[in-house]
Short mmCIF file of all heavy atoms in Angstrom, two decimals:
data_model
loop_
_atom_site.label_atom_id
_atom_site.label_comp_id
_atom_site.label_asym_id
_atom_site.label_seq_id
_atom_site.Cartn_x
_atom_site.Cartn_y
_atom_site.Cartn_z
N LEU Y 131 6.37 -2.99 -15.78
CA LEU Y 131 6.64 -4.42 -15.70
C LEU Y 131 5.38 -5.27 -15.73
O LEU Y 131 5.47 -6.49 -15.95
CB LEU Y 131 7.44 -4.72 -14.42
CG LEU Y 131 8.76 -3.96 -14.27
CD1 LEU Y 131 9.43 -4.32 -12.95
CD2 LEU Y 131 9.70 -4.25 -15.43
N GLY Y 132 4.23 -4.68 -15.49
CA GLY Y 132 2.97 -5.42 -15.57
C GLY Y 132 2.80 -6.45 -14.46
O GLY Y 132 2.18 -7.50 -14.68
N LYS Y 133 3.33 -6.19 -13.27
CA LYS Y 133 3.22 -7.12 -12.15
C LYS Y 133 2.40 -6.51 -11.03
O LYS Y 133 2.17 -5.30 -10.99
CB LYS Y 133 4.62 -7.49 -11.64
CG LYS Y 133 5.46 -8.23 -12.66
CD LYS Y 133 4.85 -9.57 -13.00
CE LYS Y 133 5.63 -10.29 -14.07
NZ LYS Y 133 5.02 -11.59 -14.43
N GLN Y 134 1.99 -7.36 -10.10
CA GLN Y 134 1.20 -6.90 -8.95
C GLN Y 134 2.10 -6.81 -7.73
O GLN Y 134 2.61 -7.82 -7.26
CB GLN Y 134 0.05 -7.86 -8.68
CG GLN Y 134 -0.78 -7.51 -7.47
CD GLN Y 134 -1.46 -6.15 -7.60
OE1 GLN Y 134 -1.99 -5.81 -8.64
NE2 GLN Y 134 -1.43 -5.37 -6.54
N PRO Y 135 2.33 -5.61 -7.19
CA PRO Y 135 3.17 -5.50 -6.00
C PRO Y 135 2.38 -5.78 -4.72
O PRO Y 135 1.23 -5.35 -4.58
CB PRO Y 135 3.65 -4.05 -6.04
CG PRO Y 135 2.54 -3.32 -6.74
CD PRO Y 135 1.94 -4.29 -7.72
N ILE Y 136 3.00 -6.50 -3.81
CA ILE Y 136 2.47 -6.62 -2.45
C ILE Y 136 3.53 -5.96 -1.56
O ILE Y 136 4.30 -6.63 -0.87
CB ILE Y 136 2.21 -8.09 -2.07
CG1 ILE Y 136 1.29 -8.73 -3.10
CG2 ILE Y 136 1.60 -8.19 -0.69
CD1 ILE Y 136 0.93 -10.18 -2.79
N ILE Y 137 3.54 -4.64 -1.63
CA ILE Y 137 4.56 -3.84 -0.95
C ILE Y 137 3.84 -2.73 -0.20
O ILE Y 137 3.34 -1.78 -0.82
CB ILE Y 137 5.57 -3.24 -1.95
CG1 ILE Y 137 6.18 -4.34 -2.82
CG2 ILE Y 137 6.65 -2.46 -1.22
CD1 ILE Y 137 7.05 -3.82 -3.94
N PRO Y 138 3.73 -2.79 1.09
CA PRO Y 138 3.07 -1.70 1.83
C PRO Y 138 3.91 -0.42 1.77
O PRO Y 138 5.14 -0.48 1.68
CB PRO Y 138 2.98 -2.24 3.26
CG PRO Y 138 4.07 -3.24 3.36
CD PRO Y 138 4.21 -3.84 1.99
N TYR Y 139 3.23 0.71 1.81
CA TYR Y 139 3.95 1.98 1.88
C TYR Y 139 4.31 2.28 3.33
O TYR Y 139 3.90 1.57 4.26
CB TYR Y 139 3.12 3.11 1.25
CG TYR Y 139 1.69 3.15 1.70
CD1 TYR Y 139 1.29 3.90 2.79
CD2 TYR Y 139 0.71 2.42 1.01
CE1 TYR Y 139 -0.02 3.94 3.20
CE2 TYR Y 139 -0.61 2.44 1.42
CZ TYR Y 139 -0.97 3.20 2.51
OH TYR Y 139 -2.27 3.23 2.92
N THR Y 140 5.06 3.34 3.55
CA THR Y 140 5.66 3.58 4.86
C THR Y 140 4.62 3.74 5.97
O THR Y 140 4.80 3.23 7.08
CB THR Y 140 6.56 4.83 4.81
OG1 THR Y 140 7.44 4.71 3.69
CG2 THR Y 140 7.38 4.96 6.08
N THR Y 141 3.55 4.44 5.68
CA THR Y 141 2.55 4.74 6.72
C THR Y 141 1.38 3.77 6.72
O THR Y 141 0.33 4.06 7.31
CB THR Y 141 2.02 6.17 6.54
OG1 THR Y 141 1.43 6.30 5.23
CG2 THR Y 141 3.15 7.19 6.66
N TYR Y 142 1.52 2.63 6.06
CA TYR Y 142 0.38 1.70 5.95
C TYR Y 142 -0.07 1.21 7.31
O TYR Y 142 -1.27 1.26 7.63
CB TYR Y 142 0.76 0.52 5.06
CG TYR Y 142 -0.29 -0.56 5.03
CD1 TYR Y 142 -1.46 -0.40 4.29
CD2 TYR Y 142 -0.13 -1.74 5.76
CE1 TYR Y 142 -2.44 -1.37 4.28
CE2 TYR Y 142 -1.11 -2.72 5.75
CZ TYR Y 142 -2.26 -2.53 5.01
OH TYR Y 142 -3.23 -3.49 5.01
N GLN Y 143 0.85 0.73 8.14
CA GLN Y 143 0.48 0.21 9.46
C GLN Y 143 -0.11 1.32 10.33
O GLN Y 143 -1.04 1.10 11.09
CB GLN Y 143 1.71 -0.41 10.14
CG GLN Y 143 2.23 -1.66 9.45
CD GLN Y 143 1.24 -2.82 9.52
OE1 GLN Y 143 0.35 -2.85 10.39
NE2 GLN Y 143 1.38 -3.77 8.62
N LYS Y 144 0.45 2.51 10.21
CA LYS Y 144 -0.05 3.63 11.01
C LYS Y 144 -1.48 4.00 10.62
O LYS Y 144 -2.30 4.34 11.48
CB LYS Y 144 0.88 4.83 10.81
CG LYS Y 144 0.57 6.01 11.69
CD LYS Y 144 1.59 7.12 11.47
CE LYS Y 144 1.30 8.32 12.35
NZ LYS Y 144 2.28 9.41 12.14
N GLU Y 145 -1.78 3.91 9.34
CA GLU Y 145 -3.12 4.29 8.87
C GLU Y 145 -4.18 3.27 9.26
O GLU Y 145 -5.38 3.57 9.19
CB GLU Y 145 -3.10 4.46 7.35
CG GLU Y 145 -2.31 5.68 6.88
CD GLU Y 145 -2.35 5.83 5.37
OE1 GLU Y 145 -3.10 5.07 4.72
OE2 GLU Y 145 -1.64 6.70 4.85
N GLN Y 146 -3.78 2.08 9.67
CA GLN Y 146 -4.75 1.07 10.07
C GLN Y 146 -5.26 1.27 11.50
O GLN Y 146 -6.24 0.66 11.91
CB GLN Y 146 -4.14 -0.33 9.94
CG GLN Y 146 -3.56 -0.64 8.58
CD GLN Y 146 -4.52 -0.33 7.44
OE1 GLN Y 146 -5.66 -0.79 7.42
NE2 GLN Y 146 -4.05 0.47 6.49
N LYS Y 147 -4.59 2.13 12.26
CA LYS Y 147 -4.96 2.34 13.65
C LYS Y 147 -6.17 3.26 13.75
O LYS Y 147 -6.35 4.18 12.94
CB LYS Y 147 -3.77 2.92 14.42
CG LYS Y 147 -2.58 1.98 14.48
CD LYS Y 147 -1.44 2.57 15.28
CE LYS Y 147 -0.27 1.60 15.35
NZ LYS Y 147 0.86 2.18 16.11
N ARG Y 148 -6.98 3.04 14.75
CA ARG Y 148 -8.21 3.80 14.94
C ARG Y 148 -7.91 5.27 15.22
O ARG Y 148 -8.64 6.16 14.76
CB ARG Y 148 -9.01 3.19 16.09
CG ARG Y 148 -10.37 3.85 16.32
CD ARG Y 148 -11.09 3.21 17.47
NE ARG Y 148 -11.28 1.78 17.23
CZ ARG Y 148 -11.82 0.95 18.13
NH1 ARG Y 148 -12.20 1.41 19.31
NH2 ARG Y 148 -11.98 -0.33 17.85
N LYS Y 149 -6.84 5.53 15.96
CA LYS Y 149 -6.49 6.91 16.28
C LYS Y 149 -6.23 7.72 15.02
O LYS Y 149 -6.65 8.88 14.90
CB LYS Y 149 -5.27 6.92 17.19
CG LYS Y 149 -4.80 8.30 17.59
CD LYS Y 149 -3.58 8.24 18.50
CE LYS Y 149 -3.09 9.65 18.86
NZ LYS Y 149 -1.89 9.61 19.72
N TYR Y 150 -5.54 7.11 14.05
CA TYR Y 150 -5.23 7.80 12.80
C TYR Y 150 -6.52 8.02 11.99
O TYR Y 150 -6.73 9.10 11.42
CB TYR Y 150 -4.22 6.98 11.99
CG TYR Y 150 -3.75 7.65 10.71
CD1 TYR Y 150 -2.58 8.40 10.69
CD2 TYR Y 150 -4.48 7.54 9.53
CE1 TYR Y 150 -2.15 9.02 9.54
CE2 TYR Y 150 -4.06 8.15 8.37
CZ TYR Y 150 -2.89 8.89 8.38
OH TYR Y 150 -2.47 9.51 7.23
N GLN Y 151 -7.36 7.02 11.93
CA GLN Y 151 -8.57 7.12 11.12
C GLN Y 151 -9.58 8.12 11.67
O GLN Y 151 -10.42 8.63 10.92
CB GLN Y 151 -9.21 5.74 11.00
CG GLN Y 151 -8.35 4.73 10.25
CD GLN Y 151 -8.95 3.34 10.25
OE1 GLN Y 151 -9.95 3.10 10.94
NE2 GLN Y 151 -8.34 2.42 9.51
N HIS Y 152 -9.50 8.41 12.98
CA HIS Y 152 -10.43 9.37 13.59
C HIS Y 152 -9.79 10.72 13.85
O HIS Y 152 -10.40 11.58 14.49
CB HIS Y 152 -10.99 8.80 14.91
CG HIS Y 152 -11.91 7.65 14.70
ND1 HIS Y 152 -11.47 6.36 14.49
CD2 HIS Y 152 -13.28 7.59 14.68
CE1 HIS Y 152 -12.50 5.56 14.35
NE2 HIS Y 152 -13.62 6.28 14.46
N ASP Y 153 -8.59 10.92 13.35
CA ASP Y 153 -7.90 12.20 13.50
C ASP Y 153 -8.35 13.13 12.38
O ASP Y 153 -7.86 13.05 11.24
CB ASP Y 153 -6.38 12.00 13.47
CG ASP Y 153 -5.64 13.28 13.81
OD1 ASP Y 153 -6.29 14.33 14.02
OD2 ASP Y 153 -4.38 13.25 13.84
N LEU Y 154 -9.29 14.04 12.68
CA LEU Y 154 -9.87 14.91 11.65
C LEU Y 154 -8.93 16.02 11.22
O LEU Y 154 -9.23 16.73 10.24
CB LEU Y 154 -11.17 15.52 12.18
CG LEU Y 154 -12.28 14.52 12.52
CD1 LEU Y 154 -13.51 15.24 13.06
CD2 LEU Y 154 -12.64 13.69 11.29
N SER Y 155 -7.83 16.22 11.90
CA SER Y 155 -6.88 17.25 11.48
C SER Y 155 -6.07 16.81 10.25
O SER Y 155 -5.40 17.64 9.62
CB SER Y 155 -5.93 17.59 12.62
OG SER Y 155 -5.14 16.48 12.98
N ARG Y 156 -6.11 15.52 9.91
CA ARG Y 156 -5.36 15.03 8.75
C ARG Y 156 -6.20 15.21 7.48
O ARG Y 156 -7.39 14.88 7.47
CB ARG Y 156 -4.99 13.55 8.93
CG ARG Y 156 -4.09 13.32 10.13
CD ARG Y 156 -3.68 11.87 10.23
NE ARG Y 156 -2.77 11.67 11.35
CZ ARG Y 156 -1.46 11.88 11.31
NH1 ARG Y 156 -0.90 12.30 10.17
NH2 ARG Y 156 -0.71 11.68 12.36
N PRO Y 157 -5.61 15.70 6.40
CA PRO Y 157 -6.37 15.92 5.15
C PRO Y 157 -7.02 14.65 4.61
O PRO Y 157 -8.02 14.73 3.91
CB PRO Y 157 -5.30 16.46 4.19
CG PRO Y 157 -4.26 17.08 5.08
CD PRO Y 157 -4.24 16.23 6.31
N GLN Y 158 -6.41 13.46 4.92
CA GLN Y 158 -6.99 12.22 4.43
C GLN Y 158 -8.39 11.98 4.99
O GLN Y 158 -9.19 11.25 4.39
CB GLN Y 158 -6.08 11.03 4.79
CG GLN Y 158 -4.74 11.02 4.08
CD GLN Y 158 -3.69 11.83 4.80
OE1 GLN Y 158 -4.02 12.65 5.66
NE2 GLN Y 158 -2.44 11.63 4.45
N ASN Y 159 -8.69 12.58 6.15
CA ASN Y 159 -9.99 12.38 6.79
C ASN Y 159 -10.95 13.56 6.60
O ASN Y 159 -11.99 13.60 7.23
CB ASN Y 159 -9.78 12.12 8.29
CG ASN Y 159 -8.94 10.88 8.54
OD1 ASN Y 159 -9.04 9.90 7.81
ND2 ASN Y 159 -8.12 10.92 9.58
N TRP Y 160 -10.59 14.50 5.75
CA TRP Y 160 -11.47 15.64 5.51
C TRP Y 160 -12.63 15.23 4.60
O TRP Y 160 -12.54 14.27 3.84
CB TRP Y 160 -10.70 16.79 4.84
CG TRP Y 160 -9.73 17.48 5.77
CD1 TRP Y 160 -9.49 17.20 7.06
CD2 TRP Y 160 -8.85 18.55 5.41
NE1 TRP Y 160 -8.54 18.04 7.57
CE2 TRP Y 160 -8.12 18.88 6.57
CE3 TRP Y 160 -8.62 19.27 4.25
CZ2 TRP Y 160 -7.18 19.89 6.58
CZ3 TRP Y 160 -7.68 20.27 4.26
CH2 TRP Y 160 -6.96 20.58 5.42
N GLN Y 161 -13.69 16.00 4.67
CA GLN Y 161 -14.85 15.78 3.81
C GLN Y 161 -14.53 16.25 2.41
O GLN Y 161 -14.02 17.35 2.20
CB GLN Y 161 -16.05 16.54 4.37
CG GLN Y 161 -17.31 16.38 3.55
CD GLN Y 161 -18.45 17.23 4.10
OE1 GLN Y 161 -18.36 17.77 5.21
NE2 GLN Y 161 -19.53 17.34 3.34
N TYR Y 162 -14.82 15.41 1.41
CA TYR Y 162 -14.50 15.75 0.02
C TYR Y 162 -15.75 15.68 -0.83
O TYR Y 162 -16.53 14.71 -0.75
CB TYR Y 162 -13.45 14.79 -0.54
CG TYR Y 162 -13.14 15.03 -2.01
CD1 TYR Y 162 -12.55 16.23 -2.43
CD2 TYR Y 162 -13.44 14.07 -2.96
CE1 TYR Y 162 -12.28 16.44 -3.77
CE2 TYR Y 162 -13.16 14.27 -4.30
CZ TYR Y 162 -12.58 15.47 -4.70
OH TYR Y 162 -12.31 15.69 -6.03
N ASN Y 163 -15.95 16.70 -1.66
CA ASN Y 163 -17.07 16.77 -2.60
C ASN Y 163 -16.50 16.54 -4.00
O ASN Y 163 -15.83 17.40 -4.56
CB ASN Y 163 -17.76 18.13 -2.52
CG ASN Y 163 -19.02 18.17 -3.35
OD1 ASN Y 163 -19.01 17.92 -4.55
ND2 ASN Y 163 -20.14 18.53 -2.72
N ALA Y 164 -16.75 15.33 -4.55
CA ALA Y 164 -16.17 14.98 -5.84
C ALA Y 164 -16.82 15.76 -6.99
O ALA Y 164 -16.18 16.04 -8.00
CB ALA Y 164 -16.32 13.48 -6.07
N GLU Y 165 -18.10 16.11 -6.83
CA GLU Y 165 -18.80 16.79 -7.94
C GLU Y 165 -18.24 18.18 -8.17
O GLU Y 165 -17.97 18.57 -9.32
CB GLU Y 165 -20.30 16.85 -7.62
CG GLU Y 165 -21.13 17.47 -8.73
CD GLU Y 165 -22.61 17.46 -8.40
OE1 GLU Y 165 -22.98 16.87 -7.36
OE2 GLU Y 165 -23.38 18.04 -9.19
N ASP Y 166 -18.04 18.95 -7.11
CA ASP Y 166 -17.52 20.31 -7.25
C ASP Y 166 -16.03 20.40 -6.94
O ASP Y 166 -15.45 21.49 -7.03
CB ASP Y 166 -18.29 21.25 -6.31
CG ASP Y 166 -19.75 21.36 -6.70
OD1 ASP Y 166 -20.04 21.26 -7.91
OD2 ASP Y 166 -20.59 21.51 -5.79
N ASP Y 167 -15.41 19.29 -6.58
CA ASP Y 167 -13.96 19.20 -6.35
C ASP Y 167 -13.49 20.20 -5.29
O ASP Y 167 -12.74 21.13 -5.58
CB ASP Y 167 -13.20 19.43 -7.67
CG ASP Y 167 -11.75 18.98 -7.58
OD1 ASP Y 167 -11.39 18.30 -6.60
OD2 ASP Y 167 -10.97 19.31 -8.50
N TYR Y 168 -13.93 19.97 -4.07
CA TYR Y 168 -13.43 20.80 -2.96
C TYR Y 168 -13.41 19.98 -1.68
O TYR Y 168 -14.07 18.94 -1.56
CB TYR Y 168 -14.28 22.07 -2.78
CG TYR Y 168 -15.69 21.83 -2.32
CD1 TYR Y 168 -16.00 21.70 -0.96
CD2 TYR Y 168 -16.75 21.76 -3.24
CE1 TYR Y 168 -17.30 21.47 -0.54
CE2 TYR Y 168 -18.05 21.55 -2.83
CZ TYR Y 168 -18.32 21.40 -1.47
OH TYR Y 168 -19.60 21.18 -1.04
N PHE Y 169 -12.58 20.43 -0.72
CA PHE Y 169 -12.46 19.79 0.60
C PHE Y 169 -12.99 20.74 1.66
O PHE Y 169 -12.94 21.96 1.51
CB PHE Y 169 -10.99 19.47 0.91
CG PHE Y 169 -10.43 18.30 0.14
CD1 PHE Y 169 -9.85 18.49 -1.10
CD2 PHE Y 169 -10.47 17.02 0.66
CE1 PHE Y 169 -9.32 17.43 -1.81
CE2 PHE Y 169 -9.94 15.96 -0.03
CZ PHE Y 169 -9.36 16.16 -1.28
N ILE Y 170 -13.46 20.15 2.76
CA ILE Y 170 -13.84 20.93 3.95
C ILE Y 170 -13.11 20.31 5.13
O ILE Y 170 -13.26 19.11 5.41
CB ILE Y 170 -15.36 20.91 4.19
CG1 ILE Y 170 -16.08 21.59 3.01
CG2 ILE Y 170 -15.71 21.59 5.50
CD1 ILE Y 170 -17.59 21.59 3.14
N ASP Y 171 -12.28 21.10 5.80
CA ASP Y 171 -11.48 20.54 6.90
C ASP Y 171 -12.33 20.42 8.16
O ASP Y 171 -13.54 20.73 8.17
CB ASP Y 171 -10.23 21.39 7.13
CG ASP Y 171 -10.53 22.75 7.75
OD1 ASP Y 171 -11.72 23.07 7.93
OD2 ASP Y 171 -9.58 23.49 8.04
N HIS Y 172 -11.68 19.96 9.25
CA HIS Y 172 -12.39 19.68 10.49
C HIS Y 172 -12.91 20.96 11.16
O HIS Y 172 -13.80 20.91 12.01
CB HIS Y 172 -11.47 18.94 11.46
CG HIS Y 172 -10.27 19.73 11.86
ND1 HIS Y 172 -9.26 20.06 10.97
CD2 HIS Y 172 -9.90 20.26 13.06
CE1 HIS Y 172 -8.33 20.74 11.60
NE2 HIS Y 172 -8.69 20.90 12.86
N GLN Y 173 -12.41 22.14 10.74
CA GLN Y 173 -12.88 23.40 11.30
C GLN Y 173 -13.98 24.04 10.46
O GLN Y 173 -14.55 25.05 10.85
CB GLN Y 173 -11.71 24.38 11.43
CG GLN Y 173 -10.63 23.90 12.39
CD GLN Y 173 -9.42 24.82 12.39
OE1 GLN Y 173 -9.05 25.36 11.34
NE2 GLN Y 173 -8.81 25.01 13.55
N GLY Y 174 -14.24 23.44 9.28
CA GLY Y 174 -15.28 23.97 8.40
C GLY Y 174 -14.75 24.85 7.29
O GLY Y 174 -15.54 25.42 6.53
N VAL Y 175 -13.43 24.99 7.15
CA VAL Y 175 -12.84 25.82 6.09
C VAL Y 175 -12.91 25.05 4.78
O VAL Y 175 -12.53 23.88 4.71
CB VAL Y 175 -11.38 26.19 6.43
CG1 VAL Y 175 -10.78 27.02 5.30
CG2 VAL Y 175 -11.32 26.95 7.75
#
């Protein structure tokens, strides 16, 4: 349709909280290496 949505997704409000942003067990907060395309979780795996 070529329009701009202003529609938050379900977890948008939850992701704005400090507790969520500092929760290293979530994949969204894992360390990512874009050059070699790999993730390292909070345990070092």
Side-chain angles (χ1 to χ4, degrees):
L131 303 179
K133 297 296 177 181
Q134 177 62 43
I136 305 182
I137 306 173
Y139 47 91
T140 310
T141 59
Y142 173 76
Q143 294 294 339
K144 186 177 180 180
E145 291 181 7
Q146 306 310 306
K147 296 181 179 179
R148 184 180 302 176
K149 180 180 178 181
Y150 184 95
Q151 295 175 352
H152 291 81
D153 187 358
L154 298 179
S155 64
R156 298 184 178 276
Q158 293 87 343
N159 299 325
W160 289 359
Q161 180 183 349
Y162 176 64
N163 187 304
E165 183 177 355
D166 296 328
D167 196 11
Y168 67 85
F169 286 88
I170 297 179
D171 71 356
H172 62 293
Q173 297 174 324
V175 179

